[in-house]
Amino acid sequence: MVKRLEQVAALVVAAGLAIVSYWLFFSWAQGGRELREKPRQGPAIQAEPSSVPGERQRP
């Protein structure tokens, strides 16, 4: 009977540690938020062509 109780207690402790471990991992890793949310689309940034730094572009 004691051996069975030890097995159940070990299983409960292992399950508790696993749950806490996954909870901490996903909370620290933002929980895959980028997979659940739609990607944000910001304005496209286009760099202006420049040949030499500090040189003015002619119109």
Side-chain angles (χ1 to χ4, degrees):
M1 181 70 177
V2 175
K3 185 121 179 140
R4 180 73 173 163
L5 183 62
E6 288 177 350
Q7 290 175 342
V8 171
L11 188 62
V12 169
V13 169
L17 289 174
I19 290 169
V20 171
S21 175
Y22 280 111
W23 178 71
L24 288 175
F25 172 76
F26 285 116
S27 66
W28 289 340
Q30 270 62 48
R33 186 178 305 156
E34 64 277 357
L35 299 176
R36 289 192 307 260
E37 292 180 356
K38 294 178 182 177
R40 297 178 189 164
Q41 298 210 359
I45 300 173
Q46 296 179 349
E48 294 183 14
S50 63
S51 55
V52 179
E55 182 180 320
R56 291 188 171 191
Q57 298 287 330
R58 295 183 183 172

